[in-house]
Amino acid sequence: MTNFISVNDVDNINALVQQALKYKANPFADRSLGTGKRIGLLFLNPSLRTRLSTQVAAANLGMEAIVFNVDKEGWALEFAEGAIMNGTTVEHIKDAAPVLGQYFDILCVRTFPSLQNREEDYAETVISQFIKYAGVPIVSLESATLHPLQSLTDIITIKEHMLLVSPPAGGGEGPKPKIVLTWAPHVKALPQCVANSFAQWVGSWGEADFVITHPKGYELDESYTKNATIITNQDEALKNADYVYVKNWSSYKDYGKIITSDKDWMLTHKKLALTNEAKVMHCLPVRRNVEMSDEVLDSNNSLVTQQAGNRVWAAQAVLSEILKSI
Ligand code: CP
């Protein structure tokens, strides 16, 4: 693995999931793999889980991690080709990225979309320029359209739970779980990254019956949802679900806009009763009693803390793959 930007950088999802679960059982199994290697974690936007879990993962592999909050501590970066830099930006990515490539063996970048210009966001103009100019492997810590470390974590969490409830017996495969990604209300316009990425990974994984449900107007980019059944009636979609992934996103069609904040889409116990005692997931941070009710988040149905914990093992599996290639 050279870069980790999307599921397309992964040869075998199940092998990566197995590697992550091996690290969960034995965090220091490859403690010397990253000895003498340095990883830079660049944040153009805030984070709790991504920042800390990636630092822990790097430490488990023996790497030195340095965090740089570019948004607060760095020069304002320019990404436009041919820009006349007589405004607020101070340093062009063409100059900054090669310098960072001199300091680090792996560079990780978080860069959210503007939600103003769909074409620009979906062209991934920021992270693609880090790839172009840094000269070292780039790991996405969430980009304008995707959040691959989160999605790998999500599949690890589902697989881990599946193994717990029905361990493989006699080598036979159990029935496919039904996974439902449901839109939920929110007070702010959020990116489509987590939803796009989850759809892309679950679709590529191919080991689930996958349903996406959202109000009309919240259709995601079809290139990510081609392996999903899309249902705009949430109650219908939730029927017999084994896993419910709750997430808000703003409109892709009417780009970056909130079309509706219909409170009826919040996941509650009443909604959960439609499912097959489904386990509930969310990438966090979550707006309690807006996206999902306290009663659901605080119930045994919730996997969210376990899910966030698994961010470490996802990051460790990915970093180990990259370390083996450099
Ligand atoms: N889920 C996730 O990426 O969390 P943070 O934004 O806190 O990193």
Side-chain angles (χ1 to χ4, degrees):
M1 190 186 295
T2 319
N3 299 305
F4 184 73
I5 306 301
S6 81
V7 75
N8 300 325
D9 295 307
V10 178
D11 289 334
N12 184 332
I13 294 175
N14 278 327
L16 203 56
V17 169
Q18 285 311 316
Q19 183 59 54
L21 291 173
K22 276 188 195 164
Y23 282 136
K24 186 166 184 172
N26 188 0
F28 305 117
D30 282 328
R31 189 155 209 170
S32 57
L33 190 62
T35 305
K37 300 277 193 254
R38 195 174 295 127
I39 185 168
L41 308 178
L42 266 60
F43 287 88
L44 284 78
N45 307 96
S47 167
L48 185 153
R49 281 144 290 271
T50 306
R51 171 179 169 157
L52 297 173
S53 62
T54 311
Q55 275 185 280
V56 173
N60 287 348
L61 292 167
M63 301 186 84
E64 182 189 1
I66 296 179
V67 176
F68 184 29
N69 295 311
V70 182
D71 54 340
K72 298 181 186 69
E73 298 153 4
W75 299 117
L77 292 173
E78 176 63 58
F79 292 91
E81 181 65 37
I84 298 168
M85 291 175 56
N86 58 2
T88 52
T89 54
V90 178
E91 181 163 25
H92 203 283
I93 186 68
K94 278 183 175 179
D95 302 309
V99 173
L100 295 165
Q102 300 285 305
Y103 300 156
F104 299 111
D105 300 286
I106 301 174
L107 200 54
C108 307
V109 181
R110 166 164 282 199
T111 168
F112 287 170
S114 66
L115 293 182
Q116 304 296 317
N117 181 333
R118 187 172 87 177
E119 206 173 299
E120 221 169 72
D121 288 343
Y122 273 70
E124 291 285 7
T125 49
V126 174
I127 204 154
S128 63
Q129 292 193 71
F130 277 102
I131 294 170
K132 187 171 177 185
Y133 296 119
V136 293
I138 300 292
V139 174
S140 168
L141 300 176
E142 187 169 351
S143 67
T145 62
L146 295 169
H147 195 353
L149 282 174
Q150 181 65 54
S151 310
L152 172 58
T153 301
D154 300 335
I155 291 183
I156 291 165
T157 307
I158 291 167
K159 189 76 188 175
E160 183 180 40
H161 181 261
M162 285 168 62
L163 289 171
L164 187 75
V165 293
S166 71
E173 293 285 319
K176 283 183 174 183
K178 178 177 175 183
I179 301 177
V180 178
L181 168 63
T182 178
W183 180 92
H186 203 282
V187 293
K188 284 178 68 182
L190 298 189
Q192 296 95 37
C193 309
V194 171
N196 283 344
S197 198
F198 187 70
Q200 187 189 44
W201 278 73
V202 174
S204 297
W205 187 41
E207 296 190 13
D209 291 327
F210 184 39
V211 173
I212 302 175
T213 184
H214 55 70
K216 286 190 178 127
Y218 283 104
E219 292 76 15
L220 294 164
D221 179 345
E222 285 174 11
S223 64
Y224 300 118
T225 61
K226 51 184 182 284
N227 293 317
T229 303
I230 296 161
I231 301 175
T232 52
N233 180 329
Q234 190 191 37
D235 288 357
E236 185 63 33
L238 289 173
K239 274 182 197 156
N240 297 319
D242 298 298
Y243 298 91
V244 179
Y245 199 107
V246 182
K247 185 70 187 90
N248 170 268
W249 61 88
S250 59
S251 176
Y252 171 73
K253 283 186 173 168
D254 194 357
Y255 192 60
K257 298 287 186 307
I258 296 177
I259 308 290
T260 172
S261 302
D262 188 348
K263 290 187 173 80
D264 285 346
W265 279 76
M266 177 171 77
L267 192 75
T268 59
H269 254 162
K270 196 172 161 207
K271 295 265 181 193
L272 208 54
L274 298 166
T275 69
N276 181 26
E277 286 287 321
K279 292 295 178 185
V280 177
M281 302 174 70
H282 190 287
C283 63
L284 300 179
V286 62
R287 296 280 183 143
R288 279 177 173 257
N289 304 310
V290 176
E291 293 176 83
M292 212 184 323
S293 66
D294 278 340
E295 58 185 5
V296 174
L297 271 163
D298 298 333
S299 74
N300 288 335
N301 293 80
S302 172
L303 290 181
V304 296
T305 306
Q306 178 184 334
Q307 184 185 356
N310 284 340
R311 291 293 306 270
V312 171
W313 319 116
Q316 194 164 333
V318 167
L319 295 181
S320 73
E321 285 299 305
I322 294 176
L323 283 169
K324 285 173 201 161
S325 76
I326 57 177

